[in-house]
Amino acid sequence: MNIPRPKAFLFDMDGTLYDSMPNHASSWYQMVCEQGIPCTPEEFFLYEGATGAWTVNLLFQRAYGRDASAEEVQRLYERKAEIFRSKPHPRVMPGARELVEAVRALPWHPQTILVTGSAQGSLLGSLNDDFPGAFPEERRVTALNVKRGKPAPDPFLQGASLAGVDPQGCIVIENAPLGVQSGKAAGCFTVAVTTGPIPRERMAEAGADLIFDSMPECAAKLPEMLCKN
């Protein structure tokens, strides 16, 4: 496979850098059940990468046939965040440190940019300790920085802009179909890693250019593939 040598890597956070999606999914599920809206725990893995407002509006459209008000979005997302903070702090995803270190060590020194649909301060605040120097605050795109989150292309377009690189010069590292769609819509070469319950077939359907079955596999193989090109 011919993979372009990227000038920047655009990393998702939840489920990619941190094994945080079980906490997110269970927090969403508890909050939504509190509202009396029918849902399943599994569905929230599919919404990974979207902003909180997008997810709340999706649920409101399904349950009530309307978008949530700004006050409802804020109140419900704050409740979801409160539940998330009560859970044990997620561990760094196995293989994530190795991948970040490997791509930063590539001979042409590509940049590393964070592109997340989350605004979860407890995880964002851990990045400097867990990935020193890789994702300083000026190289982060979060839910607070975009009007349209994933699957729209805006987050990865902004990530490429932060790097000062055309999207075609970026590689996206994602673990969710909405994020894969976003990366592809932005024009980036998009790598999907199946770190959770979503099967690789869903990543292929979303348009992933390359799929790995784990972050350790991605860390072991992707830098080597890039150096061969």
Side-chain angles (χ1 to χ4, degrees), residues 104-167:
R104 294 183 75 200
L106 289 168
W108 57 94
H109 303 299
Q111 297 183 64
T112 47
I113 308 290
L114 183 79
V115 181
T116 176
S118 175
Q120 191 66 52
S122 57
L123 283 186
L124 292 169
S126 299
L127 284 167
N128 288 337
D129 290 333
D130 293 329
F131 301 92
F135 305 105
E137 291 189 13
E138 66 272 16
R139 296 211 306 267
R140 300 179 188 177
V141 179
T142 75
L144 302 177
N145 304 126
V146 293
K147 291 184 178 179
R148 297 193 307 164
K150 305 170 187 178
D154 304 36
F156 288 111
L157 289 174
Q158 186 163 338
S161 178
L162 282 182
V165 175
D166 289 336

Short mmCIF file of all heavy atoms in Angstrom, two decimals, residues 104-167:
data_model
loop_
_atom_site.label_atom_id
_atom_site.label_comp_id
_atom_site.label_asym_id
_atom_site.label_seq_id
_atom_site.Cartn_x
_atom_site.Cartn_y
_atom_site.Cartn_z
N ARG A 104 6.78 10.41 16.24
CA ARG A 104 7.56 11.61 16.51
C ARG A 104 9.04 11.39 16.19
O ARG A 104 9.77 12.36 15.93
CB ARG A 104 7.41 12.03 17.96
CG ARG A 104 6.01 12.48 18.33
CD ARG A 104 5.93 12.95 19.76
NE ARG A 104 6.53 14.27 19.93
CZ ARG A 104 6.95 14.77 21.08
NH1 ARG A 104 6.88 14.03 22.19
NH2 ARG A 104 7.46 15.97 21.15
N ALA A 105 9.47 10.12 16.21
CA ALA A 105 10.87 9.80 15.94
C ALA A 105 11.15 9.55 14.46
O ALA A 105 12.30 9.27 14.10
CB ALA A 105 11.28 8.56 16.74
N LEU A 106 10.15 9.65 13.61
CA LEU A 106 10.37 9.45 12.18
C LEU A 106 11.38 10.49 11.67
O LEU A 106 11.42 11.62 12.16
CB LEU A 106 9.06 9.56 11.41
CG LEU A 106 8.08 8.40 11.61
CD1 LEU A 106 6.70 8.74 11.06
CD2 LEU A 106 8.62 7.13 10.97
N PRO A 107 12.19 10.13 10.69
CA PRO A 107 13.31 11.01 10.28
C PRO A 107 12.88 12.39 9.81
O PRO A 107 13.67 13.34 9.91
CB PRO A 107 13.96 10.21 9.13
CG PRO A 107 13.59 8.79 9.38
CD PRO A 107 12.23 8.83 10.00
N TRP A 108 11.66 12.53 9.29
CA TRP A 108 11.23 13.85 8.79
C TRP A 108 10.44 14.64 9.84
O TRP A 108 9.93 15.72 9.58
CB TRP A 108 10.40 13.69 7.52
CG TRP A 108 9.19 12.83 7.64
CD1 TRP A 108 7.91 13.25 7.90
CD2 TRP A 108 9.11 11.41 7.49
NE1 TRP A 108 7.05 12.17 7.93
CE2 TRP A 108 7.76 11.04 7.67
CE3 TRP A 108 10.05 10.41 7.21
CZ2 TRP A 108 7.33 9.70 7.59
CZ3 TRP A 108 9.62 9.09 7.12
CH2 TRP A 108 8.28 8.75 7.31
N HIS A 109 10.35 14.11 11.07
CA HIS A 109 9.81 14.82 12.24
C HIS A 109 8.41 15.43 12.00
O HIS A 109 8.24 16.65 12.08
CB HIS A 109 10.77 15.92 12.69
CG HIS A 109 12.14 15.41 13.00
ND1 HIS A 109 12.39 14.47 13.99
CD2 HIS A 109 13.36 15.69 12.44
CE1 HIS A 109 13.68 14.21 14.04
NE2 HIS A 109 14.29 14.91 13.10
N PRO A 110 7.42 14.59 11.73
CA PRO A 110 6.06 15.12 11.58
C PRO A 110 5.52 15.65 12.91
O PRO A 110 5.95 15.23 13.99
CB PRO A 110 5.26 13.90 11.12
CG PRO A 110 6.03 12.73 11.64
CD PRO A 110 7.47 13.13 11.58
N GLN A 111 4.58 16.58 12.81
CA GLN A 111 3.93 17.11 14.00
C GLN A 111 2.87 16.13 14.51
O GLN A 111 2.35 15.30 13.76
CB GLN A 111 3.25 18.44 13.69
CG GLN A 111 4.20 19.53 13.25
CD GLN A 111 3.46 20.84 13.03
OE1 GLN A 111 2.89 21.42 13.97
NE2 GLN A 111 3.44 21.30 11.80
N THR A 112 2.52 16.25 15.78
CA THR A 112 1.42 15.50 16.36
C THR A 112 0.39 16.48 16.89
O THR A 112 0.71 17.38 17.66
CB THR A 112 1.91 14.58 17.50
OG1 THR A 112 2.77 15.31 18.38
CG2 THR A 112 2.66 13.38 16.93
N ILE A 113 -0.86 16.29 16.45
CA ILE A 113 -1.96 17.18 16.79
C ILE A 113 -3.08 16.36 17.40
O ILE A 113 -3.39 15.26 16.91
CB ILE A 113 -2.50 17.91 15.52
CG1 ILE A 113 -1.38 18.59 14.75
CG2 ILE A 113 -3.61 18.88 15.88
CD1 ILE A 113 -0.77 19.79 15.41
N LEU A 114 -3.71 16.86 18.44
CA LEU A 114 -4.88 16.21 19.04
C LEU A 114 -6.14 16.73 18.36
O LEU A 114 -6.33 17.95 18.24
CB LEU A 114 -4.95 16.50 20.53
CG LEU A 114 -6.10 15.80 21.26
CD1 LEU A 114 -5.75 14.34 21.54
CD2 LEU A 114 -6.45 16.52 22.57
N VAL A 115 -7.02 15.81 17.95
CA VAL A 115 -8.31 16.20 17.38
C VAL A 115 -9.37 15.33 18.03
O VAL A 115 -9.55 14.16 17.68
CB VAL A 115 -8.34 16.03 15.85
CG1 VAL A 115 -9.70 16.47 15.30
CG2 VAL A 115 -7.23 16.83 15.19
N THR A 116 -10.08 15.88 19.01
CA THR A 116 -11.05 15.11 19.77
C THR A 116 -12.41 15.80 19.78
O THR A 116 -12.49 17.03 19.75
CB THR A 116 -10.57 14.91 21.22
OG1 THR A 116 -11.60 14.23 21.97
CG2 THR A 116 -10.27 16.23 21.91
N GLY A 117 -13.46 14.99 19.81
CA GLY A 117 -14.81 15.53 19.96
C GLY A 117 -15.16 15.77 21.41
O GLY A 117 -16.28 16.20 21.71
N SER A 118 -14.24 15.52 22.31
CA SER A 118 -14.49 15.65 23.74
C SER A 118 -14.05 17.02 24.26
O SER A 118 -13.19 17.68 23.68
CB SER A 118 -13.72 14.56 24.50
OG SER A 118 -13.84 14.73 25.90
N ALA A 119 -14.67 17.41 25.37
CA ALA A 119 -14.19 18.56 26.14
C ALA A 119 -13.94 18.13 27.57
O ALA A 119 -13.96 18.94 28.49
CB ALA A 119 -15.21 19.68 26.09
N GLN A 120 -13.68 16.84 27.76
CA GLN A 120 -13.54 16.26 29.10
C GLN A 120 -12.22 16.70 29.73
O GLN A 120 -11.15 16.21 29.40
CB GLN A 120 -13.60 14.73 29.01
CG GLN A 120 -13.72 14.04 30.34
CD GLN A 120 -15.05 14.35 31.03
OE1 GLN A 120 -16.11 14.19 30.44
NE2 GLN A 120 -14.98 14.81 32.26
N GLY A 121 -12.31 17.64 30.66
CA GLY A 121 -11.11 18.24 31.23
C GLY A 121 -10.22 17.27 31.97
O GLY A 121 -8.99 17.44 31.98
N SER A 122 -10.80 16.22 32.56
CA SER A 122 -9.99 15.28 33.33
C SER A 122 -9.01 14.53 32.44
O SER A 122 -7.90 14.21 32.87
CB SER A 122 -10.88 14.30 34.08
OG SER A 122 -11.73 13.59 33.20
N LEU A 123 -9.40 14.25 31.19
CA LEU A 123 -8.48 13.59 30.27
C LEU A 123 -7.55 14.58 29.61
O LEU A 123 -6.35 14.35 29.49
CB LEU A 123 -9.26 12.81 29.20
CG LEU A 123 -9.87 11.49 29.62
CD1 LEU A 123 -10.47 10.78 28.42
CD2 LEU A 123 -8.85 10.59 30.29
N LEU A 124 -8.08 15.70 29.16
CA LEU A 124 -7.24 16.71 28.51
C LEU A 124 -6.13 17.16 29.46
O LEU A 124 -5.00 17.42 29.04
CB LEU A 124 -8.09 17.90 28.07
CG LEU A 124 -9.08 17.62 26.94
CD1 LEU A 124 -10.06 18.78 26.79
CD2 LEU A 124 -8.36 17.36 25.62
N GLY A 125 -6.45 17.23 30.75
CA GLY A 125 -5.46 17.64 31.73
C GLY A 125 -4.36 16.63 31.97
O GLY A 125 -3.33 16.95 32.57
N SER A 126 -4.57 15.38 31.51
CA SER A 126 -3.57 14.34 31.70
C SER A 126 -2.61 14.19 30.54
O SER A 126 -1.60 13.49 30.65
CB SER A 126 -4.28 12.99 31.91
OG SER A 126 -5.10 13.01 33.06
N LEU A 127 -2.89 14.85 29.42
CA LEU A 127 -2.10 14.63 28.21
C LEU A 127 -0.63 14.99 28.39
O LEU A 127 0.25 14.26 27.93
CB LEU A 127 -2.69 15.43 27.05
CG LEU A 127 -3.96 14.86 26.43
CD1 LEU A 127 -4.61 15.91 25.52
CD2 LEU A 127 -3.68 13.59 25.65
N ASN A 128 -0.35 16.10 29.05
CA ASN A 128 1.04 16.53 29.18
C ASN A 128 1.87 15.54 30.00
O ASN A 128 3.06 15.34 29.73
CB ASN A 128 1.11 17.92 29.81
CG ASN A 128 0.65 19.01 28.87
OD1 ASN A 128 0.67 18.85 27.65
ND2 ASN A 128 0.21 20.12 29.43
N ASP A 129 1.22 14.90 30.99
CA ASP A 129 1.93 13.91 31.79
C ASP A 129 2.09 12.59 31.06
O ASP A 129 3.14 11.94 31.13
CB ASP A 129 1.19 13.67 33.11
CG ASP A 129 1.27 14.87 34.05
OD1 ASP A 129 2.26 15.63 33.96
OD2 ASP A 129 0.35 15.04 34.86
N ASP A 130 1.04 12.18 30.36
CA ASP A 130 1.04 10.86 29.73
C ASP A 130 1.74 10.84 28.37
O ASP A 130 2.27 9.79 27.97
CB ASP A 130 -0.40 10.36 29.57
CG ASP A 130 -1.07 10.07 30.91
OD1 ASP A 130 -0.35 9.68 31.85
OD2 ASP A 130 -2.29 10.24 31.01
N PHE A 131 1.74 11.98 27.68
CA PHE A 131 2.38 12.08 26.36
C PHE A 131 3.21 13.37 26.32
O PHE A 131 2.86 14.32 25.61
CB PHE A 131 1.32 12.08 25.25
CG PHE A 131 0.44 10.86 25.24
CD1 PHE A 131 -0.76 10.85 25.94
CD2 PHE A 131 0.83 9.72 24.55
CE1 PHE A 131 -1.57 9.72 25.93
CE2 PHE A 131 0.03 8.59 24.54
CZ PHE A 131 -1.17 8.58 25.23
N PRO A 132 4.30 13.42 27.07
CA PRO A 132 5.06 14.67 27.22
C PRO A 132 5.49 15.26 25.88
O PRO A 132 6.11 14.59 25.06
CB PRO A 132 6.27 14.25 28.05
CG PRO A 132 5.85 13.01 28.76
CD PRO A 132 4.92 12.30 27.83
N GLY A 133 5.12 16.52 25.68
CA GLY A 133 5.55 17.24 24.49
C GLY A 133 4.79 16.95 23.22
O GLY A 133 4.96 17.65 22.22
N ALA A 134 3.91 15.95 23.25
CA ALA A 134 3.25 15.53 22.00
C ALA A 134 2.03 16.37 21.66
O ALA A 134 1.75 16.63 20.48
CB ALA A 134 2.86 14.06 22.08
N PHE A 135 1.29 16.81 22.70
CA PHE A 135 0.02 17.49 22.44
C PHE A 135 -0.12 18.73 23.32
O PHE A 135 -1.03 18.81 24.16
CB PHE A 135 -1.16 16.55 22.67
CG PHE A 135 -1.08 15.26 21.88
CD1 PHE A 135 -0.75 14.07 22.52
CD2 PHE A 135 -1.33 15.26 20.53
CE1 PHE A 135 -0.67 12.89 21.80
CE2 PHE A 135 -1.25 14.09 19.79
CZ PHE A 135 -0.93 12.89 20.43
N PRO A 136 0.76 19.71 23.16
CA PRO A 136 0.61 20.94 23.94
C PRO A 136 -0.72 21.62 23.60
O PRO A 136 -1.32 21.35 22.56
CB PRO A 136 1.81 21.78 23.53
CG PRO A 136 2.19 21.26 22.18
CD PRO A 136 1.88 19.80 22.21
N GLU A 137 -1.16 22.50 24.46
CA GLU A 137 -2.49 23.08 24.31
C GLU A 137 -2.68 23.79 22.97
O GLU A 137 -3.78 23.81 22.42
CB GLU A 137 -2.78 24.04 25.46
CG GLU A 137 -2.96 23.32 26.79
CD GLU A 137 -3.47 24.23 27.89
OE1 GLU A 137 -3.91 25.35 27.58
OE2 GLU A 137 -3.40 23.81 29.06
N GLU A 138 -1.62 24.36 22.43
CA GLU A 138 -1.76 25.06 21.14
C GLU A 138 -1.86 24.10 19.96
O GLU A 138 -2.08 24.53 18.83
CB GLU A 138 -0.59 26.02 20.93
CG GLU A 138 0.78 25.37 20.77
CD GLU A 138 1.50 25.14 22.08
OE1 GLU A 138 0.83 25.20 23.15
OE2 GLU A 138 2.72 24.89 22.05
N ARG A 139 -1.73 22.79 20.23
CA ARG A 139 -1.87 21.80 19.15
C ARG A 139 -3.01 20.84 19.47
O ARG A 139 -2.92 19.64 19.27
CB ARG A 139 -0.55 21.04 18.93
CG ARG A 139 0.59 21.90 18.45
CD ARG A 139 1.57 21.13 17.56
NE ARG A 139 2.08 19.91 18.15
CZ ARG A 139 3.23 19.84 18.84
NH1 ARG A 139 3.95 20.94 19.04
NH2 ARG A 139 3.65 18.68 19.33
N ARG A 140 -4.12 21.42 19.94
CA ARG A 140 -5.30 20.62 20.28
C ARG A 140 -6.55 21.22 19.64
O ARG A 140 -6.77 22.43 19.70
CB ARG A 140 -5.51 20.55 21.79
CG ARG A 140 -4.38 19.94 22.57
CD ARG A 140 -4.70 19.96 24.06
NE ARG A 140 -3.56 19.55 24.88
CZ ARG A 140 -3.56 19.52 26.19
NH1 ARG A 140 -4.66 19.88 26.85
NH2 ARG A 140 -2.48 19.14 26.86
N VAL A 141 -7.38 20.35 19.08
CA VAL A 141 -8.73 20.70 18.64
C VAL A 141 -9.68 19.88 19.49
O VAL A 141 -9.61 18.64 19.50
CB VAL A 141 -8.95 20.38 17.15
CG1 VAL A 141 -10.38 20.74 16.74
CG2 VAL A 141 -7.95 21.13 16.28
N THR A 142 -10.58 20.55 20.21
CA THR A 142 -11.55 19.86 21.07
C THR A 142 -12.96 20.28 20.68
O THR A 142 -13.16 21.09 19.77
CB THR A 142 -11.31 20.19 22.56
OG1 THR A 142 -11.78 21.53 22.83
CG2 THR A 142 -9.83 20.09 22.93
N ALA A 143 -13.94 19.75 21.39
CA ALA A 143 -15.34 20.10 21.13
C ALA A 143 -15.59 21.59 21.33
O ALA A 143 -16.56 22.13 20.79
CB ALA A 143 -16.25 19.30 22.05
N LEU A 144 -14.73 22.26 22.08
CA LEU A 144 -14.91 23.69 22.34
C LEU A 144 -14.43 24.56 21.18
O LEU A 144 -14.69 25.77 21.18
CB LEU A 144 -14.16 24.09 23.62
CG LEU A 144 -14.56 23.33 24.89
CD1 LEU A 144 -13.69 23.78 26.05
CD2 LEU A 144 -16.03 23.53 25.21
N ASN A 145 -13.74 23.96 20.21
CA ASN A 145 -13.11 24.74 19.15
C ASN A 145 -13.82 24.68 17.81
O ASN A 145 -13.42 25.35 16.86
CB ASN A 145 -11.66 24.27 18.93
CG ASN A 145 -10.83 24.32 20.20
OD1 ASN A 145 -10.24 23.33 20.59
ND2 ASN A 145 -10.82 25.47 20.86
N VAL A 146 -14.86 23.84 17.69
CA VAL A 146 -15.53 23.68 16.40
C VAL A 146 -17.04 23.78 16.59
O VAL A 146 -17.57 23.39 17.63
CB VAL A 146 -15.18 22.33 15.74
CG1 VAL A 146 -13.72 22.29 15.33
CG2 VAL A 146 -15.51 21.17 16.64
N LYS A 147 -17.71 24.30 15.56
CA LYS A 147 -19.18 24.35 15.59
C LYS A 147 -19.76 23.02 15.14
O LYS A 147 -20.80 22.59 15.62
CB LYS A 147 -19.68 25.48 14.71
CG LYS A 147 -19.37 26.88 15.25
CD LYS A 147 -19.98 27.96 14.39
CE LYS A 147 -19.71 29.34 14.97
NZ LYS A 147 -20.27 30.43 14.12
N ARG A 148 -19.10 22.41 14.18
CA ARG A 148 -19.56 21.11 13.67
C ARG A 148 -18.50 20.06 14.02
O ARG A 148 -17.36 20.16 13.58
CB ARG A 148 -19.78 21.13 12.16
CG ARG A 148 -20.86 22.07 11.68
CD ARG A 148 -21.20 21.79 10.23
NE ARG A 148 -20.01 21.78 9.38
CZ ARG A 148 -19.97 21.26 8.15
NH1 ARG A 148 -21.06 20.69 7.65
NH2 ARG A 148 -18.86 21.30 7.44
N GLY A 149 -18.88 19.08 14.84
CA GLY A 149 -17.95 18.03 15.20
C GLY A 149 -17.98 16.88 14.21
O GLY A 149 -18.63 16.94 13.16
N LYS A 150 -17.24 15.84 14.52
CA LYS A 150 -17.25 14.64 13.71
C LYS A 150 -18.69 14.10 13.64
O LYS A 150 -19.41 14.19 14.62
CB LYS A 150 -16.34 13.58 14.33
CG LYS A 150 -14.91 14.05 14.57
CD LYS A 150 -14.12 13.06 15.42
CE LYS A 150 -12.76 13.59 15.81
NZ LYS A 150 -12.00 12.65 16.67
N PRO A 151 -19.17 13.64 12.47
CA PRO A 151 -18.46 13.23 11.26
C PRO A 151 -18.20 14.33 10.24
O PRO A 151 -17.71 14.04 9.15
CB PRO A 151 -19.41 12.18 10.67
CG PRO A 151 -20.77 12.68 11.04
CD PRO A 151 -20.60 13.26 12.43
N ALA A 152 -18.54 15.60 10.55
CA ALA A 152 -18.19 16.69 9.64
C ALA A 152 -16.66 16.79 9.55
O ALA A 152 -15.95 16.38 10.46
CB ALA A 152 -18.77 18.00 10.15
N PRO A 153 -16.15 17.34 8.47
CA PRO A 153 -14.69 17.41 8.31
C PRO A 153 -14.01 18.47 9.16
O PRO A 153 -12.78 18.47 9.29
CB PRO A 153 -14.52 17.73 6.82
CG PRO A 153 -15.78 18.46 6.45
CD PRO A 153 -16.87 17.81 7.28
N ASP A 154 -14.79 19.37 9.76
CA ASP A 154 -14.24 20.55 10.42
C ASP A 154 -13.13 20.26 11.43
O ASP A 154 -12.10 20.97 11.43
CB ASP A 154 -15.36 21.33 11.11
CG ASP A 154 -16.50 21.71 10.15
OD1 ASP A 154 -16.81 20.91 9.25
OD2 ASP A 154 -17.10 22.78 10.34
N PRO A 155 -13.29 19.27 12.34
CA PRO A 155 -12.22 19.07 13.34
C PRO A 155 -10.87 18.75 12.72
O PRO A 155 -9.85 19.32 13.13
CB PRO A 155 -12.75 17.90 14.18
CG PRO A 155 -14.23 17.95 14.03
CD PRO A 155 -14.45 18.38 12.62
N PHE A 156 -10.85 17.88 11.71
CA PHE A 156 -9.57 17.52 11.11
C PHE A 156 -9.05 18.61 10.17
O PHE A 156 -7.84 18.77 10.03
CB PHE A 156 -9.67 16.17 10.42
CG PHE A 156 -9.75 15.02 11.39
CD1 PHE A 156 -10.92 14.29 11.51
CD2 PHE A 156 -8.69 14.72 12.21
CE1 PHE A 156 -11.00 13.25 12.43
CE2 PHE A 156 -8.76 13.69 13.13
CZ PHE A 156 -9.93 12.95 13.25
N LEU A 157 -9.94 19.37 9.57
CA LEU A 157 -9.49 20.52 8.79
C LEU A 157 -8.81 21.53 9.72
O LEU A 157 -7.78 22.11 9.37
CB LEU A 157 -10.68 21.18 8.08
CG LEU A 157 -11.29 20.39 6.91
CD1 LEU A 157 -12.54 21.09 6.40
CD2 LEU A 157 -10.26 20.22 5.78
N GLN A 158 -9.38 21.73 10.91
CA GLN A 158 -8.76 22.66 11.85
C GLN A 158 -7.44 22.10 12.37
O GLN A 158 -6.48 22.84 12.59
CB GLN A 158 -9.71 22.95 13.01
CG GLN A 158 -9.18 24.02 13.95
CD GLN A 158 -10.24 24.60 14.84
OE1 GLN A 158 -11.43 24.54 14.55
NE2 GLN A 158 -9.83 25.17 15.96
N GLY A 159 -7.39 20.77 12.58
CA GLY A 159 -6.14 20.16 13.01
C GLY A 159 -5.03 20.35 11.98
O GLY A 159 -3.89 20.68 12.34
N ALA A 160 -5.37 20.16 10.71
CA ALA A 160 -4.39 20.38 9.65
C ALA A 160 -3.95 21.83 9.62
O ALA A 160 -2.77 22.15 9.42
CB ALA A 160 -4.98 19.96 8.30
N SER A 161 -4.91 22.74 9.83
CA SER A 161 -4.59 24.16 9.84
C SER A 161 -3.64 24.51 10.99
O SER A 161 -2.70 25.31 10.83
CB SER A 161 -5.88 24.98 9.94
OG SER A 161 -5.61 26.37 10.00
N LEU A 162 -3.87 23.92 12.16
CA LEU A 162 -2.97 24.16 13.30
C LEU A 162 -1.55 23.72 12.97
O LEU A 162 -0.58 24.35 13.40
CB LEU A 162 -3.46 23.39 14.53
CG LEU A 162 -4.62 23.98 15.33
CD1 LEU A 162 -4.92 23.10 16.53
CD2 LEU A 162 -4.33 25.40 15.79
N ALA A 163 -1.46 22.64 12.19
CA ALA A 163 -0.13 22.15 11.81
C ALA A 163 0.47 22.93 10.66
O ALA A 163 1.66 22.78 10.37
CB ALA A 163 -0.22 20.67 11.43
N GLY A 164 -0.34 23.76 9.99
CA GLY A 164 0.13 24.49 8.82
C GLY A 164 0.37 23.57 7.64
O GLY A 164 1.26 23.82 6.82
N VAL A 165 -0.46 22.53 7.54
CA VAL A 165 -0.27 21.48 6.54
C VAL A 165 -1.58 21.28 5.77
O VAL A 165 -2.66 21.36 6.36
CB VAL A 165 0.15 20.15 7.22
CG1 VAL A 165 0.24 19.02 6.22
CG2 VAL A 165 1.48 20.33 7.95
N ASP A 166 -1.50 21.01 4.47
CA ASP A 166 -2.69 20.62 3.73
C ASP A 166 -3.23 19.31 4.30
O ASP A 166 -2.44 18.44 4.71
CB ASP A 166 -2.37 20.42 2.25
CG ASP A 166 -2.10 21.74 1.53
OD1 ASP A 166 -2.59 22.79 2.02
OD2 ASP A 166 -1.41 21.71 0.49
N PRO A 167 -4.55 19.12 4.32
CA PRO A 167 -5.10 17.86 4.83
C PRO A 167 -4.52 16.63 4.14
O PRO A 167 -4.34 15.58 4.77
CB PRO A 167 -6.60 17.99 4.55
CG PRO A 167 -6.85 19.47 4.55
CD PRO A 167 -5.62 20.07 3.95
#
